[in-house]
Amino acid sequence: MKYHIISVFPESTSSYLESSLLKRAKENGIIDVSFYNIRDYTEDKHNKVDDRPYGGGPGMVISAMPVLKAVEDAVEKSENPLIVFFTPHGEEFSNTMADEIKDEYTDAIFICGHYEGVDARVTQILKTKNVSIGNYVLTGGELPALVMIDAITRRIPGVLGDGLSVEENRIAPKDPYTRPECFEYQGEEYCVPEVLRSGNHAKIDEFRKEN
Ligand code: ADE
C-alpha cells in the first residue's frame, strides 16, 4: 500500500511513521509514504497557500489550485488511488473501511486541510471520499491521516509478524501482564492472575477467551 500525504505541515507526521510497526512495514517494503507540501505547488512569489473566505467569516481557507496540483502529482505516482479528504462531516472511519481501502486500492492520497478548511471546489472536482475519524474537531488532517495509515497497515497480512494480521482473529489478551509477578503500590499488593503463571496453555487460552 502506498500512502501520499498532502499537507501544509507534512513533516509533522514523520516521527510517528518512523517508529514501531509502521517503520518496520516501510523497511519491509509493505508500505511506502510520500509527502507533498502544498506550499511547493504555489506559483506566487510569497508561496501563499490560503486566502480570506468569500462571504466573510473567521480564519483563512486553503486555496484550491496548489492542492489540485499536489494531488495531480500524487495521482501520477499512483496505480489505482483513492483520494481522501478529512473533515468532521465525513463518513466515520472504521475497520470495515480500512479493509475496503486495503483490498480495493493500491494507493491512498490524503488531503489534510488546516485553518478554516479547503476551497470546496477541491472535493467537488476530485470527488473525494470524505472521512471523519470521530465526532470531535481537530486542527488539521494530519492526525486523521496517521490514524488511517496505522489502522489500514496493521490489517495487511504479514505486518503484525505472527501470521495473524487481524486483531479479531488473534487470541491477544485484552488485559496483558508482564514481569514482575507481584508488586506493591501504595500499600497494596498487585499480582498477575494465578492461571497465567501456571504454564497450562489450555487453561490460559480459556482464561483469555473468558476475559
Ligand atoms: N478535521 C477536523 N476534525 C476532523 C475529524 N474529526 N476527522 C477528520 N478530519 C477532521
Side-chain angles (χ1 to χ4, degrees):
M1 191 85 196
K2 275 163 67 186
Y3 304 108
H4 306 257
I5 300 179
I6 294 177
S7 160
V8 184
F9 305 110
E11 66 291 343
S12 68
T13 57
S14 58
S15 71
Y16 189 74
L17 296 165
E18 288 309 325
S19 47
S20 186
L21 173 140
L22 294 175
K23 181 181 183 189
R24 230 181 316 122
K26 257 172 65 175
E27 286 170 353
N28 295 337
I30 297 172
I31 64 163
D32 183 54
V33 187
S34 312
F35 303 95
Y36 304 80
N37 191 328
I38 295 170
R39 208 170 289 284
D40 294 341
Y41 297 86
T42 53
E43 281 179 352
D44 68 300
K45 69 174 184 210
H46 299 295
N47 301 113
K48 202 166 143 54
V49 290
D50 54 7
D51 213 326
R52 282 168 296 137
Y54 271 103
M60 300 289 269
V61 175
I62 296 182
S63 311
M65 205 46 93
V67 177
L68 291 169
K69 290 209 171 116
V71 173
E72 261 177 41
D73 199 4
V75 167
E76 262 173 37
K77 293 177 181 134
S78 304
E79 246 175 84
N80 174 30
L82 171 71
I83 306 175
V84 173
F85 178 74
F86 293 114
T87 161
H89 311 295
E91 183 185 339
E92 190 159 301
F93 184 57
S94 63
N95 274 340
T96 309
M97 193 194 289
D99 282 338
E100 281 165 10
I101 294 171
K102 155 179 90 58
D103 294 339
E104 292 170 27
Y105 298 93
T106 57
D107 295 76
I109 299 173
F110 298 120
I111 302 173
C112 307
H114 250 264
Y115 313 123
E116 298 308 312
V118 176
D119 189 312
R121 287 168 288 188
V122 168
T123 54
Q124 292 160 9
I125 293 167
L126 299 174
K127 299 186 175 51
T128 51
K129 183 174 182 72
N130 297 339
V131 178
S132 162
I133 62 158
N135 193 15
Y136 40 78
V137 178
L138 298 165
T139 310
E142 288 76 15
L143 287 174
L146 288 176
V147 165
M148 281 187 73
I149 290 172
D150 193 305
I152 295 170
T153 302
R154 52 187 298 121
R155 301 178 77 79
I156 299 174
V159 165
L160 291 183
D162 56 5
L164 292 164
S165 68
V166 177
E167 267 83 348
E168 293 90 295
N169 298 336
R170 311 164 87 206
I171 311 181
K174 188 162 80 41
D175 296 322
Y177 296 90
T178 187
R179 282 183 288 188
E181 217 168 276
C182 293
F183 61 78
E184 219 183 275
Y185 182 69
Q186 295 185 344
E188 294 264 351
E189 192 172 52
Y190 295 87
C191 288
V192 175
E194 185 67 43
V195 58
L196 295 179
R197 296 182 273 157
S198 68
N200 182 331
H201 290 287
K203 281 213 166 126
I204 290 172
D205 281 353
E206 201 179 310
F207 174 84
R208 284 179 173 169
K209 276 182 198 151
E210 275 170 14
N211 282 272

